[in-house]
Amino acid sequence: MNGTKALTDYAVPTGDFVAEWLEENELSQAELSRRLGVSAKHVSKLIGGAPMTPDMATKLALVTGVPARLWLGYEATYRADVSRLGLAELLVTEKPLAMSFPLAHLRKLGFVTATIRRPGEVVVELFAFFGVASADALRRCTEKQAIAFRQGLAHPVDIHALATWLRLGELEAAATREDLPQFSPQHLEALIPELRALSAEPPHDFGERLVLMLHAAGVQLIFVPEVTGARVFGATRWIRGNPVVALTLRGRNDGQFWFTLLHEIGHVLLHPGDETHVRAVDQDSDGGDLAEREANDFAGNTLIPVERGDELRALKTKSQVMAFAMDIGVSPGIVVGRLWHDQIWHYSMGHDLCLKLGFKDD
C-alpha cells in the first residue's frame, strides 16, 4: 500500500451526482428548482454540465443535506480528472469539430462559459452538455441526427445546431416533466377538436393551456427556442414511454404554429415508438419520407377538412378568408398558411391576417 488514491480512467460531471440524488430521493428537477428557489432551467443547466458555483453548492447543501464542501469537491475532482485525462488537450486536433457547434448560443444559455482562449475548457463543457466523454461520441450525437431528414432539402440544415437544439429539448423535458400520466391515444384523439378550436381564440397564454391539456393525455409539450442553423419547426420523440413534442415557434405566425403542433400530434398518433421525427424547412412538400407525408396530411386535413377544399381554392379576398375561417372554426392565419402552401395565394398576401407569436421572458 502506497497510500495513494487509485486513479480512474474517466471523469464524472458534478451534474451526474445531482441527478443521482434526485433519483434516489424520487424528486423531479422541477421540485428541486422550487426548493432551491431557482428556475427549472437553472437546474437543467447544472445537470447538463454547467459548472457548480459556491452559491449553488450552499443552496444544494440546505436542500439535500449534503455539505457544500462535498458538492464543490465533486466539481474540483471532475475538473482535475478532466485535466489529468488530457481531455482539455483534445481541441488541439478537434478544434474544427468544437467550432462546428453554436458556441455563442450555448454560452448565452450558460452551458459554455469558457472562451476560445481556453479551448480545452470549451471542449470539456461540450462533452458535459451532451453527456459524452470522447470526440467520437460527440460526433455520433450529431451525425445520427442526419437520418431525421430526407435528402434534397432546398435549404441546408446545420446538423450540429440541430443536435444542440434536440439536446436542449431533452434537458427542458427532464426539467419540466412532473407527474406525467401514462400516454392515452384515446384521450389525445378526443382533445383534437378542442385544440383546433383553441386556434380561433385570442392567444393570451394559450401555450400554458396547451401544455396542461396535452399533459392530461400523457403528452409532454415543451417550447425550445430555435438554434440558428437548425431550421426546425418542431420534433416528436418518446422519452420513458411518453411522447414529447417540442416546438420552436419558427416563423412566429399562428398558422405555422398550429400546423406544426398538429403535424407532431399526427406523429404521436400515427407513428408511436422510439424514433425521433423532426419537422424542418422544406418538409411540407409531397416529397420526403412516408411518415412526414402522413403527418402533413393529418395536420392539413384536421385543420381544413378535405370536403372544404373547393371553397378554400375559391378564396380571393381577405374578408372571404376571415368568413371561411370563422365558418370552419379556425384562425384566419391557418387558412392563409394553407393558401400559401398550396400556392393559391402569393406569399406577399395575407400577412396581416396572421397573429405573431413569441416566447414569454423567463
Side-chain angles (χ1 to χ4, degrees):
M1 296 291 290
N2 58 17
T4 60
K5 181 180 178 181
L7 298 180
T8 63
D9 60 355
Y10 55 86
V12 182
T14 310
D16 285 8
F17 292 104
V18 179
E20 182 179 351
W21 185 89
L22 287 174
E23 183 176 353
E24 290 177 351
N25 289 273
E26 299 183 348
L27 290 180
S28 66
Q29 290 187 30
E31 176 62 24
L32 179 60
S33 70
R34 284 193 290 270
R35 296 190 184 191
L36 290 172
V38 300
S39 69
K41 286 187 177 180
H42 196 132
V43 173
S44 178
K45 290 176 183 178
L46 179 63
I47 293 177
M52 172 73 67
T53 64
D55 179 64
M56 177 55 68
T58 299
K59 291 180 178 179
L60 275 171
L62 293 172
V63 172
T64 66
V66 178
R69 60 179 174 78
L70 289 183
W71 290 117
L72 292 174
Y74 292 145
E75 182 70 16
T77 298
Y78 172 58
R79 300 299 167 181
D81 284 344
V82 164
S83 177
R84 175 176 56 79
L85 293 169
L87 293 181
E89 300 300 321
L90 285 178
L91 201 57
V92 173
T93 56
E94 299 294 349
K95 184 175 181 179
L97 172 64
M99 294 302 294
S100 297
F101 289 92
L103 299 181
H105 190 93
L106 290 171
R107 191 172 289 112
K108 180 180 178 181
L109 295 177
F111 290 106
V112 171
T113 60
T115 68
I116 199 60
R117 290 191 296 273
R118 295 181 293 170
E121 294 185 27
V122 174
V123 175
V124 169
E125 288 176 326
L126 282 174
F127 285 178
F129 171 70
F130 281 101
V132 299
S134 73
D136 286 342
L138 187 57
R139 287 190 181 89
R140 287 193 293 272
C141 280
T142 57
E143 291 171 355
K144 72 178 182 181
Q145 307 306 336
I147 64 174
F149 293 95
R150 63 178 172 86
Q151 297 297 316
L153 291 176
H155 299 88
V157 171
D158 184 338
I159 300 301
H160 298 87
L162 173 63
T164 298
W165 181 78
L166 288 171
R167 177 59 174 163
L168 289 169
E170 289 178 359
L171 296 174
E172 177 71 12
T176 57
R177 180 187 178 103
E178 188 172 12
D179 302 325
L180 193 64
Q182 182 177 358
F183 169 59
S184 170
Q186 295 80 13
H187 191 154
L188 180 58
E189 288 179 350
L191 275 178
I192 289 176
E194 189 176 352
L195 294 173
R196 183 179 180 277
L198 189 58
S199 73
E201 297 183 16
H204 304 300
D205 299 327
F206 72 71
E208 297 176 3
R209 293 174 62 185
L210 286 173
V211 169
L212 293 174
M213 291 166 65
L214 291 173
H215 182 278
V219 178
Q220 187 175 12
L221 174 63
I222 59 176
F223 298 95
V224 185
E226 187 182 15
V227 177
T228 301
R231 306 184 68 83
V232 61
F233 289 106
T236 298
R237 66 204 321 183
W238 292 73
I239 299 177
R240 290 194 285 174
N242 287 87
V244 177
V245 171
L247 304 179
T248 64
L249 300 191
R250 179 181 175 86
R252 301 281 176 159
N253 74 71
D254 62 327
Q256 189 65 261
F257 171 83
W258 288 105
F259 183 88
T260 299
L261 176 63
L262 268 298
H263 174 100
E264 301 305 337
I265 288 176
H267 278 310
V268 172
L269 292 172
L270 300 173
H271 314 121
D274 295 330
E275 186 175 354
T276 296
H277 297 278
V278 180
R279 179 175 178 248
V281 173
D282 302 328
Q283 286 187 321
D284 291 332
S285 67
D286 291 334
D289 62 35
L290 177 61
E292 289 303 308
R293 294 199 301 272
E294 290 176 341
N296 282 341
D297 290 344
F298 177 88
N301 296 337
T302 298
L303 293 171
I304 301 178
V306 175
E307 60 268 22
R308 308 298 292 265
D310 289 342
E311 296 172 68
L312 175 75
R313 288 183 285 274
L315 297 176
K316 302 298 183 183
T317 67
K318 295 178 183 178
S319 60
Q320 289 175 343
V321 168
M322 294 179 68
F324 179 74
M326 181 178 294
D327 187 47
I328 66 173
V330 299
S331 76
I334 289 174
V335 179
V336 171
R338 179 65 174 273
L339 290 170
W340 290 338
H341 178 269
D342 291 356
Q343 298 183 353
I344 299 170
W345 279 23
H346 189 271
Y347 186 69
S348 63
M349 300 172 59
H351 284 275
D352 54 340
L353 296 180
C354 300
L355 295 175
K356 286 294 182 182
L357 306 179
F359 290 97
K360 280 186 174 182
D361 293 335
D362 289 336

mmCIF file of all heavy atoms in Angstrom, residues 321-341:
data_model
loop_
_atom_site.group_PDB
_atom_site.id
_atom_site.type_symbol
_atom_site.label_atom_id
_atom_site.label_comp_id
_atom_site.label_asym_id
_atom_site.label_seq_id
_atom_site.Cartn_x
_atom_site.Cartn_y
_atom_site.Cartn_z
ATOM 1 N N VAL A 321 -61.523 35.051 -46.599
ATOM 2 C CA VAL A 321 -60.710 34.192 -45.728
ATOM 3 C C VAL A 321 -61.225 34.237 -44.307
ATOM 4 O O VAL A 321 -61.377 33.200 -43.640
ATOM 5 C CB VAL A 321 -59.230 34.623 -45.775
ATOM 6 C CG1 VAL A 321 -58.444 33.939 -44.651
ATOM 7 C CG2 VAL A 321 -58.623 34.272 -47.117
ATOM 8 N N MET A 322 -61.519 35.437 -43.804
ATOM 9 C CA MET A 322 -62.000 35.572 -42.426
ATOM 10 C C MET A 322 -63.345 34.868 -42.250
ATOM 11 O O MET A 322 -63.565 34.196 -41.238
ATOM 12 C CB MET A 322 -62.106 37.052 -42.068
ATOM 13 C CG MET A 322 -60.745 37.762 -42.031
ATOM 14 S SD MET A 322 -60.870 39.522 -41.622
ATOM 15 C CE MET A 322 -61.415 39.406 -39.906
ATOM 16 N N ALA A 323 -64.235 35.009 -43.225
ATOM 17 C CA ALA A 323 -65.540 34.348 -43.135
ATOM 18 C C ALA A 323 -65.384 32.828 -43.193
ATOM 19 O O ALA A 323 -66.049 32.086 -42.439
ATOM 20 C CB ALA A 323 -66.452 34.846 -44.254
ATOM 21 N N PHE A 324 -64.517 32.347 -44.064
ATOM 22 C CA PHE A 324 -64.285 30.912 -44.197
ATOM 23 C C PHE A 324 -63.685 30.348 -42.915
ATOM 24 O O PHE A 324 -64.103 29.289 -42.421
ATOM 25 C CB PHE A 324 -63.363 30.653 -45.387
ATOM 26 C CG PHE A 324 -63.033 29.207 -45.611
ATOM 27 C CD1 PHE A 324 -63.965 28.323 -46.139
ATOM 28 C CD2 PHE A 324 -61.769 28.717 -45.304
ATOM 29 C CE1 PHE A 324 -63.656 26.993 -46.353
ATOM 30 C CE2 PHE A 324 -61.441 27.383 -45.512
ATOM 31 C CZ PHE A 324 -62.386 26.521 -46.044
ATOM 32 N N ALA A 325 -62.703 31.058 -42.360
ATOM 33 C CA ALA A 325 -62.066 30.599 -41.126
ATOM 34 C C ALA A 325 -63.073 30.525 -39.986
ATOM 35 O O ALA A 325 -63.089 29.567 -39.210
ATOM 36 C CB ALA A 325 -60.912 31.533 -40.756
ATOM 37 N N MET A 326 -63.924 31.535 -39.889
ATOM 38 C CA MET A 326 -64.934 31.537 -38.832
ATOM 39 C C MET A 326 -65.908 30.375 -39.028
ATOM 40 O O MET A 326 -66.320 29.721 -38.055
ATOM 41 C CB MET A 326 -65.696 32.870 -38.837
ATOM 42 C CG MET A 326 -66.756 32.966 -37.751
ATOM 43 S SD MET A 326 -67.579 34.578 -37.747
ATOM 44 C CE MET A 326 -66.216 35.637 -37.277
ATOM 45 N N ASP A 327 -66.255 30.098 -40.264
ATOM 46 C CA ASP A 327 -67.224 29.040 -40.549
ATOM 47 C C ASP A 327 -66.689 27.664 -40.176
ATOM 48 O O ASP A 327 -67.431 26.817 -39.668
ATOM 49 C CB ASP A 327 -67.607 29.077 -42.028
ATOM 50 C CG ASP A 327 -68.743 28.124 -42.361
ATOM 51 O OD1 ASP A 327 -69.744 28.122 -41.620
ATOM 52 O OD2 ASP A 327 -68.617 27.379 -43.349
ATOM 53 N N ILE A 328 -65.398 27.423 -40.426
ATOM 54 C CA ILE A 328 -64.842 26.098 -40.103
ATOM 55 C C ILE A 328 -64.231 26.068 -38.696
ATOM 56 O O ILE A 328 -63.789 25.015 -38.243
ATOM 57 C CB ILE A 328 -63.809 25.648 -41.148
ATOM 58 C CG1 ILE A 328 -62.567 26.542 -41.123
ATOM 59 C CG2 ILE A 328 -64.427 25.590 -42.532
ATOM 60 C CD1 ILE A 328 -61.437 26.042 -42.028
ATOM 61 N N GLY A 329 -64.183 27.225 -38.015
ATOM 62 C CA GLY A 329 -63.769 27.249 -36.619
ATOM 63 C C GLY A 329 -62.277 27.229 -36.373
ATOM 64 O O GLY A 329 -61.826 26.627 -35.390
ATOM 65 N N VAL A 330 -61.496 27.902 -37.243
ATOM 66 C CA VAL A 330 -60.055 28.017 -37.023
ATOM 67 C C VAL A 330 -59.636 29.472 -37.214
ATOM 68 O O VAL A 330 -60.444 30.306 -37.627
ATOM 69 C CB VAL A 330 -59.243 27.108 -37.981
ATOM 70 C CG1 VAL A 330 -59.594 25.650 -37.771
ATOM 71 C CG2 VAL A 330 -59.451 27.524 -39.435
ATOM 72 N N SER A 331 -58.389 29.765 -36.927
ATOM 73 C CA SER A 331 -57.905 31.133 -37.084
ATOM 74 C C SER A 331 -57.684 31.455 -38.557
ATOM 75 O O SER A 331 -57.350 30.569 -39.355
ATOM 76 C CB SER A 331 -56.599 31.332 -36.324
ATOM 77 O OG SER A 331 -55.520 30.739 -37.006
ATOM 78 N N PRO A 332 -57.838 32.725 -38.957
ATOM 79 C CA PRO A 332 -57.543 33.112 -40.350
ATOM 80 C C PRO A 332 -56.105 32.798 -40.749
ATOM 81 O O PRO A 332 -55.839 32.489 -41.914
ATOM 82 C CB PRO A 332 -57.806 34.620 -40.355
ATOM 83 C CG PRO A 332 -58.797 34.839 -39.255
ATOM 84 C CD PRO A 332 -58.411 33.850 -38.187
ATOM 85 N N GLY A 333 -55.185 32.863 -39.778
ATOM 86 C CA GLY A 333 -53.792 32.566 -40.089
ATOM 87 C C GLY A 333 -53.596 31.152 -40.600
ATOM 88 O O GLY A 333 -52.713 30.899 -41.443
ATOM 89 N N ILE A 334 -54.388 30.211 -40.104
ATOM 90 C CA ILE A 334 -54.308 28.826 -40.573
ATOM 91 C C ILE A 334 -54.724 28.741 -42.037
ATOM 92 O O ILE A 334 -54.082 28.062 -42.852
ATOM 93 C CB ILE A 334 -55.188 27.910 -39.702
ATOM 94 C CG1 ILE A 334 -54.561 27.754 -38.307
ATOM 95 C CG2 ILE A 334 -55.405 26.553 -40.369
ATOM 96 C CD1 ILE A 334 -55.418 26.987 -37.329
ATOM 97 N N VAL A 335 -55.781 29.463 -42.394
ATOM 98 C CA VAL A 335 -56.267 29.442 -43.774
ATOM 99 C C VAL A 335 -55.249 30.098 -44.698
ATOM 100 O O VAL A 335 -54.945 29.573 -45.784
ATOM 101 C CB VAL A 335 -57.632 30.154 -43.866
ATOM 102 C CG1 VAL A 335 -58.126 30.143 -45.320
ATOM 103 C CG2 VAL A 335 -58.647 29.479 -42.958
ATOM 104 N N VAL A 336 -54.691 31.228 -44.275
ATOM 105 C CA VAL A 336 -53.688 31.910 -45.093
ATOM 106 C C VAL A 336 -52.474 31.002 -45.307
ATOM 107 O O VAL A 336 -51.946 30.898 -46.421
ATOM 108 C CB VAL A 336 -53.259 33.236 -44.433
ATOM 109 C CG1 VAL A 336 -52.054 33.836 -45.167
ATOM 110 C CG2 VAL A 336 -54.407 34.225 -44.438
ATOM 111 N N GLY A 337 -52.028 30.333 -44.234
ATOM 112 C CA GLY A 337 -50.888 29.431 -44.357
ATOM 113 C C GLY A 337 -51.139 28.333 -45.374
ATOM 114 O O GLY A 337 -50.249 27.955 -46.146
ATOM 115 N N ARG A 338 -52.349 27.816 -45.391
ATOM 116 C CA ARG A 338 -52.705 26.766 -46.359
ATOM 117 C C ARG A 338 -52.737 27.340 -47.775
ATOM 118 O O ARG A 338 -52.299 26.682 -48.732
ATOM 119 C CB ARG A 338 -54.049 26.157 -45.981
ATOM 120 C CG ARG A 338 -54.534 25.074 -46.921
ATOM 121 C CD ARG A 338 -53.630 23.833 -46.909
ATOM 122 N NE ARG A 338 -54.215 22.790 -47.714
ATOM 123 C CZ ARG A 338 -55.107 21.899 -47.231
ATOM 124 N NH1 ARG A 338 -55.477 21.943 -45.956
ATOM 125 N NH2 ARG A 338 -55.621 20.982 -48.024
ATOM 126 N N LEU A 339 -53.255 28.560 -47.941
ATOM 127 C CA LEU A 339 -53.287 29.193 -49.254
ATOM 128 C C LEU A 339 -51.874 29.412 -49.789
ATOM 129 O O LEU A 339 -51.617 29.245 -50.987
ATOM 130 C CB LEU A 339 -54.032 30.525 -49.177
ATOM 131 C CG LEU A 339 -55.548 30.432 -48.936
ATOM 132 C CD1 LEU A 339 -56.124 31.810 -48.628
ATOM 133 C CD2 LEU A 339 -56.263 29.818 -50.137
ATOM 134 N N TRP A 340 -50.951 29.783 -48.894
ATOM 135 C CA TRP A 340 -49.551 29.926 -49.306
ATOM 136 C C TRP A 340 -48.976 28.572 -49.717
ATOM 137 O O TRP A 340 -48.335 28.450 -50.751
ATOM 138 C CB TRP A 340 -48.713 30.505 -48.168
ATOM 139 C CG TRP A 340 -48.979 31.927 -47.830
ATOM 140 C CD1 TRP A 340 -49.541 32.877 -48.626
ATOM 141 C CD2 TRP A 340 -48.667 32.568 -46.582
ATOM 142 N NE1 TRP A 340 -49.609 34.078 -47.947
ATOM 143 C CE2 TRP A 340 -49.081 33.921 -46.706
ATOM 144 C CE3 TRP A 340 -48.099 32.155 -45.390
ATOM 145 C CZ2 TRP A 340 -48.923 34.846 -45.673
ATOM 146 C CZ3 TRP A 340 -47.935 33.066 -44.366
ATOM 147 C CH2 TRP A 340 -48.345 34.394 -44.499
ATOM 148 N N HIS A 341 -49.194 27.583 -48.841
ATOM 149 C CA HIS A 341 -48.607 26.262 -49.087
ATOM 150 C C HIS A 341 -49.087 25.670 -50.403
ATOM 151 O O HIS A 341 -48.308 25.083 -51.163
ATOM 152 C CB HIS A 341 -48.946 25.315 -47.937
ATOM 153 C CG HIS A 341 -48.425 23.922 -48.137
ATOM 154 N ND1 HIS A 341 -49.182 22.943 -48.750
ATOM 155 C CD2 HIS A 341 -47.231 23.349 -47.841
ATOM 156 C CE1 HIS A 341 -48.473 21.829 -48.800
ATOM 157 N NE2 HIS A 341 -47.293 22.044 -48.260
#
